[in-house]
């Protein structure tokens, strides 16, 4: 009896969002009960924020065209890690010296957001992220053009 | 790692993201690959509605361009599920999973049936909100253990991922793939175009199987 009632509720897809929201709420409560979670000090991808830098919030340390030490999970897979850590073009380097807003400009366009993921050692992530964006654009443009 | 997926047969490194093929992930990968090839080479069905109680029937006409778009989305979905099957990185897995979710919406986005559109809309809302627990789970894995690599997390001495974080990841994949709540999916299957719409079901099944392996391994 109760099962048929539950299955009737689940079978209506208008209730789906409510069901998922309920599951999320239950998990959120559980999550709060599990707090505090331990923070591992030994972070593979550390991040420091320097608000005085003109490249803030894009600045991740290191100086352009010089080698920097970056943390790598598998050093043997990325033999040239560190050489491209400050991957500014000469133009954006000059821009960052002229104005205090170069960092916010980079962050304000989509490529900058994608680059928030570490660049050299996690290249596949960057590729998959842009793929998701492209798929979303493809669906959106197809639906838009279908209407005309 | 050894108990669940078996010993890795082959590692394919992309920097820190190491793709690994164990017997388990390889099986799922081949399944996704075979179905993607079937989608590429097969011709879509032509759906026929038979009027109950009479001898009339209605053949549904679907334009070629719509079918082409749906096939494109089904192939993209197949590629995304292949990536999700073999990736050895939690964040990368979350990315591939959300790609699967958006492709599933794309497959049925152009269907002209109002009923299917309503179901796809509900599903799209759930898939969109499911990215929050999914990526939150991946982020908290990085915060609590310091790494994202599944191979590192599977080592005996590695820091264990808290149970509630695993639950977050699973809930995210459940929302993306709609694995236990097939109601919306079943309505989406009413869309004509058989091999393409079945990709929705197969990909969600595959990512659900994979997240179970991930959660039991880390």
């Amino acid at each position: 009896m109760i099962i048929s009632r539950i299955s009737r509720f689940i079978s209506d897809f208008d209730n789906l969002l409510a069901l998922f929201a309920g599951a999320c709420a239950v998990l959120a409560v559980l999550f709060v009960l599990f707090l505090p979670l331990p923070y591992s000090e030994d972070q593979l991808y550390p991040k420091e924020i320097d608000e005085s830098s003109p490249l803030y919030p894009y600045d991740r340390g290191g100086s352009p065209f010089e080698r920097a030490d970056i943390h790598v999970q598998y050093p043997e897979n990325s033999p040239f890690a560190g050489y491209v850590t400050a991957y500014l073009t000469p133009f954006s380097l000059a821009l960052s010296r002229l104005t205090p807003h170069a960092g916010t400009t980079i962050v304000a366009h989509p490529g900058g957001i994608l680059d928030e993921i570490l660049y050299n050692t996690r290249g596949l992530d960057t590729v998959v992220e842009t793929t998701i964006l492209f798929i979303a654009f493809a669906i959106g443009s197809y639906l838009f053009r279908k209407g005309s | 790692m050894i108990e669940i997926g078996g010993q890795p047969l082959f590692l394919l490194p992309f920097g820190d993201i190491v793709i690994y093929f164990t017997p388990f992930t390889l099986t799922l990968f081949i399944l996704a690959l075979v179905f993607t090839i079937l989608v590429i080479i097969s011709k879509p069905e032509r759906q026929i509605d038979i009027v109950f109680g009479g001898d009339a029937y209605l053949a549904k006409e679907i334009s070629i361009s719509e079918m082409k778009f749906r096939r494109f989305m089904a192939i993209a979905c197949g590629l995304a599920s292949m990536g999700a099957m073999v990736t050895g990185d939690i964040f990368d897995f979350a990315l591939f999973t959300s790609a699967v979710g958006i492709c599933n919406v794309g497959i049925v986005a152009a269907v002209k049936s109002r009923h299917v559109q309503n179901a796809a809309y509900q599903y799209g809302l759930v898939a969109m909100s499911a990215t929050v627990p999914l990526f939150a789970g991946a982020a908290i894995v990085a915060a609590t253990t310091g790494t994202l690599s599944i191979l590192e997390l599977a080592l005996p001495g590695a820091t264990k991922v808290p149970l509630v974080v695993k639950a977050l990841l699973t809930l995210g994949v459940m929302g993306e793939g709609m694995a236990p709540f097939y109601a919306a999916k079943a309505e989406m299957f009413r869309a004509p175009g058989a091999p393409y719409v079945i990709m929705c079901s197969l990909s969600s099944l595959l990512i659900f199987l994979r997240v179970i392996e991930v959660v039991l391994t880390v």
Side-chain angles (χ1 to χ4, degrees):
Chain A
M1 209 56 175
I2 186 84
I3 291 175
S4 68
R5 215 188 255 172
I6 291 172
S7 70
R8 196 174 312 133
F9 180 80
I10 294 177
S11 69
D12 185 2
F13 59 74
D14 284 330
N15 294 330
L16 198 69
L17 200 60
L19 201 66
F20 187 72
C24 283
V26 169
L27 194 59
V29 170
L30 269 181
F31 187 76
V32 170
L33 292 181
F34 266 81
L35 288 176
L37 292 172
Y39 179 77
S40 167
E41 292 298 329
D42 180 28
Q43 286 286 317
L44 185 62
Y45 306 114
K47 185 166 182 173
E48 284 135 29
I49 291 176
D50 175 16
E51 291 189 19
S52 62
S53 160
L55 285 170
Y56 169 78
Y58 198 61
D59 193 11
R60 267 170 256 139
S63 48
F65 308 116
E66 278 172 40
R67 182 170 178 126
D69 286 322
I70 58 174
H71 298 258
V72 185
Q73 181 81 63
Y74 302 103
E76 67 278 12
N77 292 344
S78 313
F80 296 106
Y83 285 105
V84 287
T85 180
Y87 37 89
L88 292 175
T89 60
F91 175 72
S92 42
L93 181 61
L95 200 67
S96 74
R97 286 181 181 154
L98 281 174
T99 135
H101 307 298
T104 42
T105 313
I106 296 170
V107 168
H109 72 261
I113 302 285
L114 292 179
D115 276 349
E116 270 301 309
I117 304 303
L118 276 182
Y119 198 68
N120 189 29
T121 59
R122 299 184 61 85
L124 189 62
D125 275 353
T126 323
V127 175
V128 181
E129 274 171 16
T130 31
T131 311
I132 295 174
L133 266 187
F134 278 138
I135 292 168
F137 277 133
I139 296 170
S141 57
Y142 180 79
L143 289 180
F144 182 73
R145 286 183 60 217
K146 200 178 70 131
S148 62
Chain B
M1 166 126 320
I2 296 159
E3 310 92 72
I4 303 146
Q7 203 69 26
L9 307 169
F10 176 63
L11 297 175
L12 182 66
F14 285 94
D16 274 5
I17 297 165
V18 174
I19 285 176
Y20 65 88
F21 293 87
T22 61
F24 182 78
T25 61
L26 187 65
T27 313
L28 299 181
F29 179 80
I30 290 172
L31 203 62
L33 181 69
V34 167
F35 201 80
T36 311
I37 291 170
L38 282 181
V39 161
I40 293 171
I41 60 173
S42 66
K43 287 189 172 169
E45 61 153 6
R46 312 193 80 176
Q47 205 178 35
I48 290 179
D49 283 0
I50 295 176
V51 178
F52 190 72
D55 54 1
Y57 60 87
L58 311 157
K60 285 182 180 164
E61 283 297 317
I62 306 137
S63 65
I64 297 288
S65 71
E66 192 183 322
M67 274 301 169
K68 276 185 179 164
F69 181 75
R70 218 177 288 168
R71 182 176 61 187
F72 164 61
M73 275 301 145
I75 293 168
C77 188
L79 293 175
S81 13
M82 273 187 251
M85 286 315 101
V86 291
T87 183
D89 186 273
I90 303 260
F91 188 77
D92 208 40
F93 174 72
L95 280 176
F96 274 121
T97 307
S98 55
V100 166
I102 200 165
C103 285
N104 278 347
V105 177
I107 290 172
V108 289
V111 179
K112 287 198 180 68
S113 156
R114 191 174 178 78
H115 192 69
V116 175
Q117 290 275 296
N118 280 338
Y121 177 70
Q122 296 289 335
Y123 169 67
L125 285 180
V126 173
M128 195 169 66
S129 46
T131 52
V132 177
L134 187 64
F135 283 94
I140 300 172
V141 168
T144 50
T145 65
T147 181
L148 283 165
S149 167
I150 296 173
L151 291 167
E152 294 297 314
L153 291 169
L155 293 178
T159 325
K160 285 290 143 196
V161 177
L163 189 67
V164 69
V165 179
K166 295 178 180 180
L168 273 178
L169 272 177
T170 316
L171 185 71
V173 172
M174 273 160 67
E176 290 289 344
M178 205 53 62
F181 316 116
Y182 272 113
K185 278 274 163 93
E187 301 300 329
M188 278 156 72
F189 287 165
R190 295 192 186 185
Y196 310 147
V197 284
I198 292 170
M199 191 49 122
C200 299
S201 170
L202 185 84
S203 58
S204 54
L205 180 71
L206 287 176
I207 55 173
F208 200 66
L209 285 174
R210 181 67 213 279
V211 80
I212 291 169
E213 191 245 14
V214 170
V215 159
L216 291 180
T217 305
V218 299

